[in-house]
Amino acid sequence: MARLRPCIVVHYHEISLKGGNRPLFLRHLSRNLARATADLPPVTVVQRPGRILLDLEHHEKPEAVLERMARVLGIANYALAWRVPSTLPAMKAVIARLIEGRSFESFRITARRAFKSYPLTSVELNRELGAFVLSRARTRVDLERPALTIHVEVLPDETFLYLDRQPGPGGLPVGASGTVAALLSGGIDSPVAAWRMMKRGCRVLFVHFHSVPYLPATSQVKARALVDRLTEWQHHSRLFLVPFGEIQREVVLSVPPPARVVVYRRLMVRIAEAIARAHGALALTTGESLGQVASQTLENIARIDEVAGLPVFRPLIGMDKLEITEQAQRLGTFEISIEPDADCCTLFVPLHPATRMTADAIGAAESRLDVARLVQAGVDGAVTETFDWPVMPMPKTEAPADRSPSA
Ligand code: ATP
Ligand code: MG
């Protein structure tokens, strides 16, 4: 009986990979695949032409490895597959095992050759292997809506056979595009914005502004929980917790209420930029969506961008709250975001913020502040925390020696 040699075949969208980008993309994807499975029994990640392979022969937990693929950005689709030599008898032997005891009223063979010098064409393979299945099972061929699809991918030295393949999350591997700093509140939007940047290949640093001791530390608890959840997509994260309460208090003393929200936002952007620059991030990202609240009008967004020396990306700018909420639910950040909390934006925030701040008005408001000192205070007060996922099992340590005094 044929020995089954399991593996996972990972496909990426080759069309999006132009020439020189490909080796970089593949390096990041391979590394991320290894990291995503780092707490499981070792998996060998191998680059093959047009796909990546995770060798699972002798692996104790193939299903656990397979599960991890759903959160590795850059994967177009993936499948638990079986490796065989590229000969018809070897393929048939494994197909026989795969369909054994299975009932399926219809099927199709989907053969692909990764190199064209293989002696049989895809059509001939489909026909030959299809006839084999028909000789073994009570079923019929249905090319349009088969109950079972048997995929056959022929490489020069070996073939991968598999039944189901699943869509991956798509996008680009985290790290391939560089680093951005995300302004992360405890709200629904900013975690989604951060994730969308990850999906375009960015590693994300998180910057959260809190108002301890003026408000309880709940916003930090939420920020940590959100970063923890998002770390499943990038494996390692840093969160910078910036004390903002004192800065807000100074703003309140000299800035008229309608201008405060935009002044706060401009201070946040300046502080986040300094942190970003110090840690190699090349852009900022926020969860703003046009028109959603007073600070998110075209005028106010322009006032915010005027103080930014790095690009500020707003991946949600054209999305409705409903679309953002659905995305947050899929990500599992929604439940965390809706936990009640007292965000710093609820502290000292006027009832009627100005929706159209002019450059002159904001300049006048800020002229009463020592902006450089406030920014420096925020940067200096920032506390860094790190997050890792998966959490590595604790190394086995010797039990501590009994130190109880021998009376
Ligand atoms: P969110 O749901 O992300 O909180 P929002 O719709 O509540 O967004 P605002 O409160 O106006 O909108 O905030 C706009 C953006 O400013 C946020 O998406 C976030 O990127 C940033 N921001 C707001 N408050 C904070 C904070 N306390 N710490 C870090 N960034 C913040
Ligand atoms: Mg908010």
Side-chain angles (χ1 to χ4, degrees), residues 34-159:
R35 288 182 120 175
T37 54
D39 60 325
L40 301 174
V43 180
T44 314
V45 179
V46 197
Q47 288 183 23
R48 305 301 316 267
R51 64 236 335 115
I52 291 181
L53 194 73
L54 278 71
D55 184 0
L56 296 179
E57 207 172 346
H58 312 301
H59 201 279
E60 298 141 46
K61 298 178 178 168
E63 295 300 329
V65 178
L66 193 68
E67 222 170 75
R68 298 290 167 86
M69 301 300 109
R71 289 202 197 79
V72 179
L73 291 162
I75 297 182
N77 60 67
Y78 59 98
L80 184 59
W82 284 271
R83 307 168 74 170
V84 297
S86 292
T87 67
L88 280 174
M91 294 179 203
K92 288 177 182 170
V94 169
I95 289 175
R97 285 204 54 180
L98 294 183
I99 63 175
E100 199 176 72
R102 199 184 259 263
S103 85
F104 46 102
E105 62 168 27
S106 62
F107 79 104
R108 67 168 288 163
I109 307 277
T110 301
R112 277 201 286 169
R113 299 174 309 161
F115 72 116
K116 299 301 170 201
S117 56
Y118 188 71
L120 297 178
T121 64
S122 306
V123 176
E124 286 165 339
L125 274 169
N126 288 341
R127 210 175 285 147
E128 180 79 29
L129 297 173
F132 175 74
V133 171
L134 287 171
S135 74
R136 288 291 186 120
R138 268 170 177 280
T139 183
R140 63 187 167 81
V141 173
D142 183 344
L143 299 181
E144 300 297 324
R145 311 177 115 250
L148 184 78
T149 301
I150 302 174
H151 296 266
V152 181
E153 289 183 17
V154 186
L155 269 62
D157 53 342
E158 66 177 334
T159 290

Side-chain angles (χ1 to χ4, degrees), residues 245-327:
E246 190 54 38
I247 297 173
Q248 283 180 291
R249 208 182 55 82
E250 288 203 29
V251 171
V252 167
L253 291 179
S254 48
V255 173
R260 284 179 198 160
V261 172
V262 178
V263 169
Y264 294 152
R265 213 55 94 226
R266 281 162 60 111
L267 287 165
M268 285 185 183
V269 162
R270 291 178 176 108
I271 294 167
E273 178 179 337
I275 293 171
R277 287 187 185 278
H279 295 90
L282 301 182
L284 304 179
T285 187
T286 77
E288 287 156 315
S289 157
L290 190 62
Q292 201 187 81
V293 291
S295 60
Q296 300 175 16
T297 60
L298 286 179
E299 288 86 351
N300 288 352
I301 287 174
R303 299 294 87 76
I304 295 167
D305 276 6
E306 276 158 13
V307 299
L310 291 175
V312 181
F313 295 130
R314 297 178 171 88
L316 313 186
I317 198 72
M319 286 172 77
D320 298 344
K321 194 72 185 183
L322 190 63
E323 294 170 299
I324 300 169
T325 301
E326 282 168 0
Q327 181 92 74

Side-chain angles (χ1 to χ4, degrees), residues 182-194 206-211 219 223 226 240 242 244 248 261 265 268-269 272 285-289 292-296 304 313-314 316 321 324 337 341-346:
L183 281 79
L184 184 80
S185 67
I188 295 169
D189 306 330
S190 45
V192 175
F206 297 95
V207 184
H208 173 71
F209 296 87
H210 66 83
S211 306
S219 81
L226 290 167
F240 297 84
V242 180
F244 202 61
Q248 283 180 291
V261 172
R265 213 55 94 226
M268 285 185 183
V269 162
T285 187
T286 77
E288 287 156 315
S289 157
Q292 201 187 81
V293 291
S295 60
Q296 300 175 16
I304 295 167
F313 295 130
R314 297 178 171 88
L316 313 186
K321 194 72 185 183
I324 300 169
S337 297
D341 102 84
D343 184 67
C344 73
C345 297
T346 60

Side-chain angles (χ1 to χ4, degrees), residues 384-405:
T384 315
E385 296 183 0
T386 59
F387 295 76
D388 288 283
W389 191 91
V391 178
M392 301 302 283
M394 291 288 282
K396 288 196 184 74
T397 48
E398 300 278 309
D402 185 0
R403 294 202 182 155
S404 54

